[in-house]
Amino acid sequence: MVLPAFPPALLAVAVSAILAACSPGKPPATIESAQARLAAGEPRAAAIELQGVLQATPTSGQARMLLGKALLNLGDAIGAEVELKKARELKHPDAEVVPLLAKAMVEQQRHKQVIDQFGALDLKDAAAQDELNATLASAWARLGKRDKARSLVDAVLAKSPDHVTALLSSARLHATGSKIDEALAEAGKATTLEANNADAWLTLGQIQLLGKRDTEGAAASYRKVLTLRPAAAGAYTTLVAIALLKNDEAGALKLYRDMEKALPRHPQTRVVDIQLALKRKDYPRAKEVALELLKIAPDNADVLNLAGIAELEMGRVSRAITHFQRAIYLAPELPAPKVGLAHAYLRGGQPKRTLALLAPMLAKNPDDIGSLTLAADAELQAGNSERAEVLFQRALKARPGDPQIRTSLALTQMTQGRADAALTELRSIASTDQSTVGDLALISTMMRQRNVPAALDAIAALAKKLPASPQPDLLRGQVLLGKGDMPAARASYEAALKKEPTHMPAIQGLAAIDLREGKPEAAEARFAAALAADPKSTAAMMALVDLKSRRPAAAEEVSKLLADAIAASPNDPAPRLKQLQLLLLKRDRKGALGAAQAAVSALPDNTELLGILGKVQLLAGDANQAVNTFGKLAARDPQSAQPVMYQAEAYVMLKDNTAAERAYKRALELAPNSVEAQRGLIAVSVRANNPARALEAARGIQRQNPKLGLGYMLEGDIQGKFNDWASAAKAYRAGLDKGNFVGLSERLHLATAKSKGDAAAQAFASDWIKQHPEDAGLPFYLGNQAMDAGNLERAESYLAQAVKANAKLVAPINNLAMVKIKLGRSDALATAQQAYALAPDRSEPIDTLVQALRQAKQDAKAVDLLQSALAKTPDSPLFRFNLAQIHADAGDKPAARRELELLAASPVAFERKAEADALLKQVSQ
């Protein structure tokens, strides 16, 4: 493992030690003798010779180049880069310098910089260009552009099958593509061609270790590296890692002592010190050494990762998150910081973010046991016990032959209906296996089955295995909270906090209880205390943002919290996304545009933020900039249709139908079955007054989805747009003949009325409803028409038919309740309660139920309902206005005035503002 970005000063001592071996009395150093040393595989001696040359002629570009080459062979990529840059400044030919310089930069993992500087360079020398291209291939591969890397490598090998650098690049490509045997063959060939090439042996060792899990073969290769390159820090660190894999702590410690002697001040020696400290759980020591390294190398991803691990193990979650996020930003290809961040999010009570981080990792490696169990833990913490059980089952199946396979088999039995036998087996495993995977699988199963006593028993068994961990108390709290036993749940969460005072999931559990008990101030106080204990806790800040966002008066506090969260975790997109969400909710498009631009500037590789910037630019009316932004997004993922769709929307705003049509067609090339793109193409064609092209697209949807009614509905809509209602009716009828009712029967009614008159339309409606009592669409449509016309009895009849056709549709039930309220029906309240039960979080059923309660003289219940709704959606002007009206009608002017003043301060537009202003004036007198 080569550590990037360490200042050259760190290696000065090592270089000085090499040069100190040059004693007086020896023949004067010459470039020719140094070249001979290099050719003989003696880079250390060559470096000594070249230092002598440079003492006499410091402006020798050739000596600088050769010293860079020698240092590169010695494993000092940073020192090599310094010398090679000086050689280039001294005008030494690029053909000799650049291939070496590119290699030095790649070894420091500066892949993007290599591509930016040398990707388009023509060296005018075929051999030098081949060497550069083989190195560029490695950089492209590490940036995820495997096709580009492969084409460069193949071109070199086609001309020179024995080109060692190209062979090594090809081997690494094959290894990452799971073609391990081909990779081994190429790396082995490279070691045969150049037996003294340390890079070839390093590559062979990496493939043996990571591709074949051949620790013995890999160890032999790395020991060979040390004979060729005694100061090869990467070989030492990997040999230490192999020893630790074998639990050979004594062997690892001996290797570390040898490394200390060979490289006493090398950064990698200190990295090994950190790793060994972590192994023996000396987390303060690991943190101390990591922070020392970060002072001189703040942009080193590996050290940031190790610092994050130490902080996490010491319970400092927010600091760990900061380290992991920075490491990911600097080296997005490294998996270790992502795993660390997933652990930290979970410890910080953010299971959804854990799952979002793990999703692409599991997509790439679906059988990774660590990612699977971590994802299962996250699902369990999020309360998704069914999904947790599935993931635990996958995790346990991923290791055939593992003792925990019994758990996998037990879970399989459960899915086959043999629950009793499966549970007996799971309990047996949990009681005999020292790991906790079986326990967690059993707990998730019991939680999913809502078997509270069995879940609590399983958690008690887990607690015996993890006496110092807050996890069992947390799980117990979740089970008890689900049961509704809030006092016991509170006690469990408090027990978790006694073990780990900053355990965010437990704090979140207690806050959830506070909210259930109607004590939002207590919930805020909990997170405020957590923030006081850890001022950089993004999780606590974001929790406070969510709570305070419910109070319009706390807008300034929310803005400051978000600014603090962004400052504390500048590489975390979550606070920036929340900031944008709130700005857009307030319709502050100028503020949202500035925040989006700042977010993209800080996190230029975050595609989600880039997409939001484009959308905000559209909202701000800057469609030209939106086109450019979505173009960048499309370039990041050229196989995705969505950015092209966004571009099309921008072109529509610019009224550039030609460009919009081209974009929609490009989107359809990428996603041929995209209905969204086809509908966009239809809309553009209609605006361009081109019905033929629009109809062609609609009929394309019919061919792709012959059993769906959408294509026929779109064809009818197009015909209607151009006033050909007879053809529209024919298309709608064709869709209905396919057995599709949604949206078509009401459209056919309209088309019939337009083409044949109201009497024909009414005859169709009567006949259709009789023959198709299961279709709720047409009676709902006719009921709404009757409502708009003021014919409430007719509306009640049609809406009742719609509800009879489908009693699970909220809108017909809600509208029927509204009609019954206006008609003074005795069952209006029951109907409103039926709609509310189906959608308790939607504003329409809440408003209708409030009106029904008021009609039933149950104002107290209406107030309770509105206050509960406002706790969830504090920015709803309708709820606040209704509450103010109730207070005003009850004669409580101060309460009414308080609600109306909050309404006036809200940034959310309210269509009944004039009524609200008039009422405020009335209650203020």
Side-chain angles (χ1 to χ4, degrees):
M1 173 172 66
V2 177
L3 290 177
F6 279 108
L10 279 176
L11 296 175
V13 174
V15 174
S16 297
I18 292 172
L19 302 177
C22 183
S23 58
K26 290 189 176 182
T30 65
I31 287 178
E32 291 75 15
S33 62
Q35 287 175 316
R37 297 281 195 183
L38 277 173
E42 300 174 10
R44 176 188 169 103
I48 295 169
E49 297 266 7
L50 290 163
Q51 184 62 27
V53 172
L54 287 169
Q55 285 176 348
T57 55
T59 58
S60 171
Q62 186 179 15
R64 294 286 180 193
M65 181 274 294
L66 290 171
L67 180 55
K69 184 175 183 179
L71 291 175
L72 196 56
N73 288 341
L74 286 166
D76 181 2
I78 297 169
E81 181 183 2
V82 171
E83 297 300 333
L84 292 165
K85 282 185 174 179
K86 288 180 181 178
R88 206 173 183 214
E89 290 170 5
L90 292 166
K91 307 300 182 184
H92 195 74
D94 273 357
E96 294 185 33
V97 177
V98 168
L100 295 170
L101 180 56
K103 185 176 180 183
M105 293 171 69
V106 164
E107 289 195 8
Q108 295 175 73
Q109 301 181 36
R110 288 162 52 204
H111 311 295
K112 188 175 185 302
Q113 292 95 321
V114 170
I115 298 298
D116 290 344
Q117 289 185 38
F118 306 127
L121 186 63
D122 183 359
L123 293 177
K124 311 297 184 185
D125 180 288
Q129 192 69 50
D130 284 348
E131 187 69 21
L132 175 60
N133 286 346
T135 301
L136 288 172
S138 294
W140 280 117
R142 292 301 296 272
L143 292 172
K145 306 295 184 181
R146 289 175 49 81
D147 290 344
K148 178 70 173 176
R150 174 51 67 188
S151 65
L152 284 171
V153 166
D154 287 349
V156 175
L157 290 176
K159 293 186 290 182
S160 307
D162 292 340
H163 195 287
V164 169
T165 305
L167 280 170
L168 295 177
S169 293
S170 181
R172 288 188 284 267
L173 279 169
H174 277 137
T176 55
S178 299
K179 295 182 178 179
I180 304 303
D181 291 336
E182 292 91 332
L184 282 173
E186 288 176 325
K189 182 179 179 181
T191 61
T192 301
L193 290 167
E194 293 184 9
N196 291 330
N197 187 320
D199 290 330
W201 288 103
L202 271 172
T203 302
L204 179 61
Q206 290 168 349
I207 297 167
Q208 289 168 323
L209 181 62
L210 302 176
K212 286 290 190 180
R213 300 292 190 268
D214 179 6
T215 54
E216 295 301 327
S221 294
Y222 284 112
R223 284 194 290 270
K224 176 67 173 177
V225 171
L226 288 176
T227 65
L228 298 168
R229 191 181 287 173
Y236 275 115
T237 55
T238 308
L239 284 168
V240 169
I242 290 172
L244 291 176
L245 278 174
K246 296 178 177 180
N247 290 317
D248 181 6
E249 292 189 41
L253 186 59
K254 182 182 183 304
L255 282 162
Y256 170 62
R257 298 302 181 207
D258 292 342
M259 188 178 185
E260 262 192 322
K261 292 176 185 176
L263 301 162
R265 299 191 186 183
H266 195 288
Q268 283 286 54
T269 306
R270 302 171 82 181
V271 167
V272 173
D273 187 4
I274 299 170
Q275 291 171 326
L276 292 174
L278 290 173
K279 179 68 175 178
R280 62 178 182 268
K281 299 185 178 180
D282 185 355
Y283 304 123
R285 169 66 181 173
K287 174 193 169 186
E288 177 189 354
V289 179
L291 292 181
E292 287 176 2
L293 272 178
L294 287 173
K295 288 177 184 177
I296 52 178
D299 291 342
N300 187 280
D302 292 308
V303 179
L304 283 163
N305 177 59
L306 294 172
I309 293 171
E311 295 282 15
L312 186 60
E313 293 295 345
M314 294 171 71
R316 295 168 178 167
V317 177
S318 61
R319 296 181 189 179
I321 287 174
T322 299
H323 288 316
F324 289 133
Q325 287 174 339
R326 180 67 177 161
I328 293 169
Y329 175 73
L330 291 166
E333 75 277 5
L334 293 181
K338 294 175 185 174
V339 173
L341 183 58
H343 276 285
Y345 280 153
L346 194 58
R347 286 276 295 276
Q350 302 181 73
K352 290 183 179 178
R353 300 189 72 185
T354 297
L355 293 166
L357 192 62
L358 291 172
M361 298 172 70
L362 281 170
K364 187 175 181 181
N365 189 0
D367 293 331
D368 180 68
I369 187 76
S371 297
L372 283 168
T373 53
L374 186 56
D377 283 342
E379 293 285 15
L380 199 56
Q381 188 181 112
N384 304 321
S385 54
E386 186 170 353
R387 288 203 289 268
E389 184 182 2
V390 171
L391 286 166
F392 280 127
Q393 185 172 355
R394 282 176 55 191
L396 293 166
K397 282 183 176 178
R399 281 186 177 171
D402 190 283
Q404 295 173 343
I405 194 66
R406 292 170 56 204
T407 307
S408 176
L409 292 173
L411 292 171
T412 302
Q413 287 177 336
M414 186 167 292
T415 62
Q416 294 171 348
R418 291 177 281 168
D420 291 341
L423 288 174
T424 300
E425 180 72 350
L426 282 174
R427 291 189 178 101
S428 172
I429 295 164
S431 64
T432 58
D433 187 5
Q434 290 304 306
S435 75
T436 61
V437 177
D439 298 81
L440 292 169
L442 178 61
I443 292 166
S444 64
T445 301
M446 295 299 94
M447 289 174 69
R448 182 176 62 83
Q449 294 182 353
R450 301 186 184 278
N451 188 337
V452 173
L456 293 174
D457 287 344
I459 292 169
L462 178 66
K464 292 178 181 177
K465 292 183 179 180
L466 301 173
S469 171
Q471 186 179 25
D473 299 298
L474 178 71
L475 292 170
R476 187 181 295 109
Q478 290 177 333
V479 171
L480 293 169
L481 188 60
K483 181 186 175 185
D485 188 348
M486 288 192 284
R490 183 185 295 277
S492 293
Y493 288 132
E494 287 172 346
L497 287 179
K498 286 179 181 177
K499 294 175 180 176
E500 189 177 309
T502 59
H503 192 61
M504 188 56 65
I507 295 172
Q508 290 171 329
L510 288 167
I513 294 173
D514 292 333
L515 291 173
R516 284 198 186 189
E517 293 176 346
K519 302 173 182 175
E521 298 84 1
E524 281 191 30
R526 290 189 189 280
F527 292 116
L531 189 58
D534 185 357
K536 292 190 175 182
S537 173
T538 307
M541 292 181 205
M542 296 304 290
L544 281 170
V545 164
D546 287 337
L547 288 170
K548 291 180 182 293
S549 295
R550 302 178 183 187
R551 296 189 283 110
E556 288 187 13
E557 292 179 70
V558 170
S559 296
K560 183 180 184 306
L561 279 167
L562 284 169
D564 290 345
I566 290 168
S569 300
N571 298 310
D572 185 353
R576 298 180 188 275
L577 290 167
K578 185 68 176 180
Q579 183 184 53
L580 286 165
Q581 177 190 344
L582 293 177
L583 288 168
L584 289 171
L585 183 65
K586 291 194 301 183
R587 299 187 180 182
D588 182 359
R589 293 175 179 174
K590 183 178 179 181
L593 182 59
Q597 289 169 335
V600 170
S601 177
L603 300 171
D605 294 325
N606 188 292
T607 54
E608 185 177 9
L609 287 171
L610 192 62
I612 290 174
L613 173 60
K615 292 174 186 176
V616 173
Q617 287 167 335
L618 274 181
L619 288 172
D622 195 346
N624 283 311
Q625 283 297 326
V627 167
N628 292 335
T629 300
F630 292 134
K632 293 177 183 177
L633 193 63
R636 298 276 180 86
D637 189 1
Q639 299 306 310
S640 173
Q642 194 59 59
V644 186
M645 292 284 294
Y646 291 148
Q647 274 191 312
E649 292 174 22
Y651 286 128
V652 168
M653 181 177 284
L654 290 168
K655 298 182 180 180
D656 187 344
N657 285 335
T658 302
E661 179 185 352
R662 186 169 59 247
Y664 280 125
K665 286 182 176 179
R666 171 60 183 156
L668 284 169
E669 289 175 7
L670 295 168
N673 294 323
S674 171
V675 172
E676 185 183 0
Q678 288 164 323
R679 295 183 80 155
L681 186 58
I682 289 170
V684 169
S685 300
V686 169
R687 276 192 297 272
N689 201 32
N690 191 337
R693 190 166 58 206
L695 289 170
E696 179 186 354
R699 288 164 185 159
I701 296 175
Q702 294 170 17
R703 289 190 295 273
Q704 289 173 348
N705 303 282
K707 294 183 179 181
L708 298 181
L710 178 62
Y712 300 96
M713 185 173 72
L714 290 172
E715 180 183 349
D717 290 350
I718 294 164
Q719 302 285 18
K721 184 72 176 177
F722 290 97
N723 292 313
D724 187 351
W725 290 106
S727 295
K730 183 179 179 182
Y732 295 142
R733 172 61 71 180
L736 285 172
D737 289 344
K738 295 285 184 180
N740 297 279
F741 301 156
V742 178
L744 284 167
S745 56
E746 49 265 50
R747 279 177 164 81
L748 180 53
H749 178 275
L750 173 64
T752 303
K754 292 282 188 181
S755 60
K756 296 182 179 180
D758 290 340
Q762 187 58 43
F764 158 72
S766 299
D767 182 58
W768 179 264
I769 291 172
K770 287 178 185 177
Q771 293 184 28
H772 299 280
E774 73 278 21
D775 179 19
L778 183 57
F780 177 55
Y781 164 75
L782 294 171
N784 287 340
Q785 275 193 330
M787 282 180 66
D788 293 340
N791 192 336
L792 296 180
E793 286 82 3
R794 187 175 184 182
E796 182 181 25
S797 174
Y798 276 127
L799 290 169
Q801 286 176 306
V803 172
K804 185 178 180 181
N806 191 336
K808 293 184 179 180
L809 293 177
V810 178
I813 302 172
N814 180 73
N815 289 7
L816 179 60
M818 286 298 299
V819 169
K820 287 183 176 183
I821 291 169
K822 292 177 181 179
L823 289 171
R825 305 295 191 212
S826 60
D827 62 344
L829 178 56
T831 306
Q833 288 170 331
Q834 183 184 353
Y836 175 76
L838 288 171
D841 294 325
R842 282 178 55 178
S843 60
E844 298 89 346
I846 294 173
D847 181 52
T848 301
L849 181 53
V850 166
Q851 304 307 321
L853 286 167
R854 296 203 67 193
Q855 186 185 67
K857 310 298 183 184
Q858 297 182 30
D859 281 7
K861 289 185 177 180
V863 169
D864 288 344
L865 176 61
L866 285 168
Q867 288 177 336
S868 175
L870 281 168
K872 297 177 182 177
T873 53
D875 292 317
S876 171
L878 178 61
F879 296 162
R880 206 166 289 284
F881 180 60
N882 283 342
L883 188 57
Q885 282 184 314
I886 295 174
H887 288 316
D889 290 348
D892 189 348
K893 289 186 176 182
R897 186 166 58 251
R898 182 175 63 252
E899 298 299 334
L900 290 166
E901 287 172 348
L902 286 171
L903 176 59
S906 173
V908 180
F910 183 41
E911 59 185 12
R912 298 171 65 183
K913 185 178 184 301
E915 290 180 64
D917 291 343
L919 185 58
L920 177 59
K921 184 177 181 181
Q922 176 185 330
V923 298
S924 298
Q925 293 174 350

